[in-house]
Amino acid sequence: MFARSSSRIFNVINISCIQSRSARAWVRKPLGSPMAKSKMFRIAPKKFIPADEKAEVKRLYDNYFHQMKSLRHYFFEQSLEQAESGEVAQMKHRLEEEEHIRLMEENRLENEKTAKLREEKLKIQAEKTRENILASLINKEEETRLYEIQIEAFLEKQKATPFIQAENIEKAIEEALANPVDFNFAIDLDGYVYRGRETAIEKIPEEERERLRSN
């Protein structure tokens, strides 16, 4: 009996070893087996991870988390849309259609109101433009009339000015020689004017002398 129980214990201990023709292939040990004595009091060293590698791992994890969250939300929305394919979906569609029609009508009324205001504004601008053009034309006509009046007055003045005609040229020469005009003049320190090159100052009385007016 002792030999039979010993053989059973030996079989349990060597159950993780499978014999083959070439070599022994080791598999996982039984779950009930205790820790090996060589590893009983051994503490595994903690792996050191650099800060940049830790930040990169965290970034990748955050990206993965947000992407998976977006996918879950998308699939949830898809499932809701598929679930609303019945009467609720038809009612929702009808309400959306009614809302669309209402908004289109409101937009049409607003467009008509805007077009009416635009037409009124254009009419006011056209009226102002017409008035400005009319005022400009009136001013232009008035300026033209005044210019014509000035031209006529100048021509009348020129006509009234005596001109020497060809048949009167000899008479005009004789009158010019008989009545010479001397444009020379002199002014003394007291402001008296003496006209003519050969005028004698002492022969002119003081009360008849011409004097410049002071402002």
Side-chain angles (χ1 to χ4, degrees):
M1 183 175 181
F2 178 76
R4 190 178 297 172
S5 60
S6 300
S7 62
R8 187 180 301 165
I9 294 172
F10 180 77
N11 292 332
V12 171
I13 293 173
N14 292 287
I15 194 170
S16 60
C17 180
I18 300 175
Q19 295 289 341
S20 62
R21 292 181 180 179
S22 60
R24 290 183 300 179
W26 290 90
V27 296
R28 184 180 179 86
K29 68 179 182 180
L31 296 177
S33 301
M35 182 182 294
K37 293 182 179 181
S38 59
K39 299 179 181 179
M40 185 70 69
F41 300 102
R42 187 176 65 180
I43 300 175
K46 185 177 181 180
K47 293 183 179 180
F48 173 74
I49 302 177
D52 53 351
E53 184 176 353
K54 187 183 294 184
E56 181 65 16
V57 171
K58 185 178 183 302
R59 186 186 67 81
L60 294 174
Y61 174 76
D62 292 340
N63 292 340
Y64 172 77
F65 175 77
H66 292 302
Q67 290 172 1
M68 294 304 296
K69 184 177 180 181
S70 300
L71 287 174
R72 287 195 297 268
H73 182 71
Y74 173 76
F75 290 134
F76 179 73
E77 292 291 336
Q78 292 293 325
S79 63
L80 289 180
E81 291 180 0
Q82 293 178 1
E84 293 178 354
S85 59
E87 184 178 357
V88 177
Q90 295 178 1
M91 183 179 296
K92 182 179 179 181
H93 179 71
R94 186 172 63 255
L95 292 176
E96 291 178 354
E97 187 68 22
E98 292 176 356
E99 180 69 13
H100 177 70
I101 294 173
R102 185 185 66 80
L103 293 176
M104 290 295 293
E105 182 66 19
E106 184 178 352
N107 188 25
R108 186 184 65 80
L109 295 175
E110 187 66 23
N111 289 337
E112 291 179 356
K113 181 179 178 181
T114 305
K116 186 176 180 180
L117 293 175
R118 187 186 301 111
E119 290 178 359
E120 293 178 356
K121 185 177 180 180
L122 290 176
K123 288 181 180 179
I124 294 173
Q125 291 180 352
E127 185 66 22
K128 289 183 178 179
T129 304
R130 189 183 68 82
E131 293 177 356
N132 293 334
I133 293 174
L134 183 60
S136 178
L137 291 175
I138 293 173
N139 293 333
K140 186 67 176 177
E141 291 178 357
E142 184 67 19
E143 291 177 358
T144 304
R145 188 180 65 83
L146 294 176
Y147 181 73
E148 291 177 354
I149 292 174
Q150 293 176 357
I151 293 296
E152 291 178 359
F154 177 75
L155 292 176
E156 292 294 333
K157 184 178 179 181
Q158 292 295 323
K159 289 179 181 179
T161 304
F163 290 96
I164 300 174
Q165 304 296 330
E167 59 272 11
N168 299 328
I169 188 170
E170 292 181 358
K171 183 178 179 180
I173 293 173
E174 292 177 356
E175 290 180 356
L177 293 175
N179 302 305
V181 178
D182 190 358
F183 295 98
N184 296 306
F185 64 92
I187 302 175
D188 61 4
L189 297 177
D190 295 329
Y192 290 100
V193 179
Y194 305 97
R195 300 186 180 278
R197 183 185 296 272
E198 299 178 357
T199 302
I201 299 176
E202 59 276 2
K203 292 182 180 182
I204 301 175
E206 187 174 354
E207 59 274 6
E208 296 180 2
R209 294 178 182 178
E210 182 183 356
R211 190 171 186 179
L212 295 177
R213 296 180 181 180
S214 58
N215 295 330

